[in-house]
Amino acid sequence: MRSTEDLGSSHGWRLRRGVLDDGREVFVKDGAPPPLIASEAAGLRWLGEAIAVPEVVEADGDRLVLSWVAEEPPTAAAAERFGRDLARLHLAGAPAFGAPWPGFIAELPMDNSPADDWPVFYAARRVLPFLRRARLSSGDAGLVERAVERFAEVAGPPEPVARIHGDLWSGNVLWSGGTGVLVDPAAHGGHRETDLAMLALFGAPFLDRVLGAYQEEAPLADGWRDRVPLHQLHPLLVHVVLYGGTYRSSLMRTVSQVLAL
C-alpha cells in the first residue's frame, strides 16, 4: 500500500483510507475478529450479485480491504433508483432464512443457522438471543417475551425468503453513482420488510422516494407499515446490548406497538 490516512475507529477496530501501489483507492478495516471479516466479505460478495456494493479487494485475517466509494449528496432521483435496486436485491432471494456463514451485527455474533419459517427464525436467531444479553428488568423482559409469542400471529402473509442487508440503517448506505451503495452488511436470507423497517428506524434521506420506487418494483403486502415495529425489535435490542439503557424506552415503546397489533 502506497499510503494510508487514518479515519478513526469503530467498535474497536481501525478504519483507514489507502492508496494501493497500482493507484486504486481503498477502504481498510483493521483489527476486527477474523470471523467477522470473513462474514462481512461473504455478505458483500453475495449482495454484490444483485446490487451495488464495494469490491472486496482482500479479506485476510483481521483485515478487510474494499474499493473506495466516492460519496456524493443524496438526491430524490438517486433515492428512487436505490428503491428499485433494493427491491431487485430482495427478489434475488436465498435458499433459506439464515446464511451459510456466521453472522455478526457490529461486533456481536448472530446465529445464521438456516430455518424455513421466518417467525421462528426471527424469534430464535435474532430476538431471544439478544434479549438474554440485554440486562432488562424481569418486567421488561417478560413483555418482550409476550411480543415474541405473537410473532406468528402478526408477521403478515408468508413471504419468499429475501436476500437482505440485515443492518440497513442510513449510515450503511453510501450515496454514489446515482444510487445507494450498501456497506457493512449483516447479510442473510430474511424478510424484506426488515431492511425497510431498519431504514425507517433512524431516518434516511428521501425515504418516501425510496419506498415509492420500491413499491412500484415489488409491491409490499397489505399492512406492512403496521408491521414496522415488529421488524425494529431486533435492532433496538442490539442497541440496548451495545449501549445500555439509553435505548430502553425506544425498545419498550416498540414492544407495546407489537403487542397492540
Side-chain angles (χ1 to χ4, degrees), residues 60-126:
D60 185 21
D62 67 351
R63 184 172 70 174
L64 178 67
V65 182
L66 306 175
S67 59
W68 184 260
V69 177
E71 293 186 70
E72 60 197 23
T75 65
E80 290 175 3
R81 180 177 168 190
F82 175 60
R84 292 189 291 271
D85 290 346
L86 188 61
R88 288 192 286 270
L89 169 69
H90 292 165
L91 292 172
F97 297 106
W101 51 80
F104 286 87
I105 188 163
E107 70 267 33
L108 302 175
M110 294 194 301
D111 184 356
N112 273 346
S113 300
D116 296 324
D117 179 86
W118 183 77
V120 170
F121 173 84
Y122 189 54
R125 310 280 196 269
R126 293 296 181 260

Side-chain angles (χ1 to χ4, degrees), residues 1-3 19-24:
M1 201 169 293
R2 183 189 304 169
S3 64
V19 179
L20 301 180
D21 291 341
D22 62 11
R24 285 182 294 167

Side-chain angles (χ1 to χ4, degrees), residues 141-185:
L143 288 173
V144 176
E145 289 168 350
R146 281 179 53 199
V148 170
E149 291 170 358
R150 301 201 66 219
F151 282 0
E153 178 185 351
V154 302
E159 291 254 350
V161 184
R163 187 174 304 206
I164 72 170
H165 178 280
D167 188 15
L168 197 58
W169 72 289
S170 60
N172 285 340
V173 182
L174 305 183
W175 298 96
S176 181
T179 189
V181 177
L182 302 187
V183 297
D184 202 15

Side-chain angles (χ1 to χ4, degrees), residues 12 23 28-29 37 55 57 79 96 108 116 124 133 179 191 203 260:
V28 183
K29 177 184 290 188
I37 294 294
E55 175 194 355
V57 178
L108 302 175
D116 296 324
R133 300 182 62 172
T179 189
H191 197 301

